Amino acid sequence: MIDQVVLITGASSGIGWAAALAFARAGYHVCGFARRAERLSGLEAEIDALPSPHGDFLAAVGDVRRADDAMAAVEQTLARFGRLDILVANAGVGHHGQVADAAWDDLQTVLQTNIDGVMHSLRAAVPAMRAGGGGHILIISSVVAGVHTPYTATYAASKAFVSSLAGSLRLELADDNIAVTDVLVGRTFTEFNQNRLGSRQSARGGLPTKTADDVAAALVSAAERQPRHIVLSLFDRLILAGGVLTPGLMARLAKRQYEPSQGD
Ligand SMILES: NC(=O)c1ccc[n+]([C@@H]2O[C@H](COP(=O)([O-])OP(=O)(O)OC[C@H]3O[C@@H](n4cnc5c(N)ncnc54)[C@H](OP(=O)(O)O)[C@@H]3O)[C@@H](O)[C@H]2O)c1
């Protein structure tokens, strides 16, 4: 058994759910944090049913937009497992639609979840990690942080914020023996598009898509290696390189990918 403890925000579906299972299977104790308590109960049942040995699971119900809820999740983790080694700041929500026309409530929810939520989570986790002599923060960003994408601008900008934050935090926390990894996730099959705010228009299909289990496996591997950043596929690397080397071309391709088609 690995005597380490991981707190995963947004564990009630998709990447967070798969990561909770993967970490528990690898022997880590897991605290899963999200708003939907019944989903977390289902996750607990799945983890209990894993072949032994596996890590234990604790559900922490709360909203990452509230600093007190993030703090409570860390306190519950410490009360149950006695330490916190790893934070996967994963909870997030998407948005589709033009910035100028979107409902402000929707844009604010994206910013408060994807930016405030990550900051509340890590600010709650760092004191516990310092007390334990070190730790590792994995921030779930997106490849859209590295390209200009129309119609998903607020979401992309929120991910650019947390990617930038990850790079700076890595420097700030190095003396505390806390590593920070910027996880630049590409398109992944999850409930993300159903849960997304704004218009129901989807990006066009046909692009390579990972499973949540692929991302979860990369997170467990990164917990051992503590890299500066993770990009999961060659395709995602090409997107990020294109954003730097040929930004005009990438912007045109992104516009075609995301713009509403006739009838939407
Ligand atoms: N799927 C993709 O293609 C893709 C690509 C790049 C990056 N990502 C990123 O990957 C992360 C996980 O997304 P996913 O694809 O797994 O989507 P998902 O299936 O919709 O999962 C989102 C998770 O975030 C939680 N969440 C949302 N708002 C929350 C809040 N205010 N407080 C606490 N938890 C909250 C949800 O739980 P509750 O609703 O129960 O609270 C859920 O567990 C996100 O940060 C997303 O931006 C996804």
Side-chain angles (χ1 to χ4, degrees), residues 64-79:
V64 284
R65 292 171 293 176
R66 290 203 286 260
D68 288 352
D69 286 9
M71 192 60 77
V74 170
E75 282 164 4
Q76 288 165 49
T77 303
L78 295 176

Side-chain angles (χ1 to χ4, degrees), residues 81-186:
F81 299 120
R83 54 187 296 127
L84 175 60
D85 302 282
I86 299 168
L87 167 69
V88 181
N90 164 74
V93 63
H95 178 266
H96 191 277
Q98 291 206 31
V99 173
D101 305 328
W104 175 246
D105 280 356
D106 285 352
L107 300 186
Q108 197 171 36
T109 298
V110 172
L111 298 173
Q112 289 178 343
T113 307
N114 299 1
I115 295 177
D116 298 11
V118 168
M119 297 190 77
H120 291 325
S121 307
L122 72 89
R123 282 162 53 84
V126 163
M129 291 179 178
R130 282 183 177 140
H136 185 192
I137 299 168
L138 296 115
I139 295 181
I140 306 302
S141 182
S142 165
V143 291
V144 300
V147 281
H148 290 144
T149 51
Y151 314 117
T152 186
T154 306
Y155 172 73
S158 74
K159 292 303 184 182
F161 183 103
V162 295
S163 280
S164 174
L165 183 74
S168 299
L169 268 184
R170 193 174 169 96
L171 302 173
E172 285 188 7
L173 296 174
D175 290 344
D176 293 307
N177 196 30
I178 299 173
V180 182
T181 299
D182 181 20
V183 185
L184 293 152
V185 178

Side-chain angles (χ1 to χ4, degrees), residues 10 12-13 15 35-36 63-64 90 155 159 185-186 188 190 195:
S12 61
S13 71
I15 291 167
R35 292 167 300 180
R36 287 172 292 178
D63 188 325
V64 284
N90 164 74
Y155 172 73
K159 292 303 184 182
V185 178
T188 307
T190 65
N195 294 335

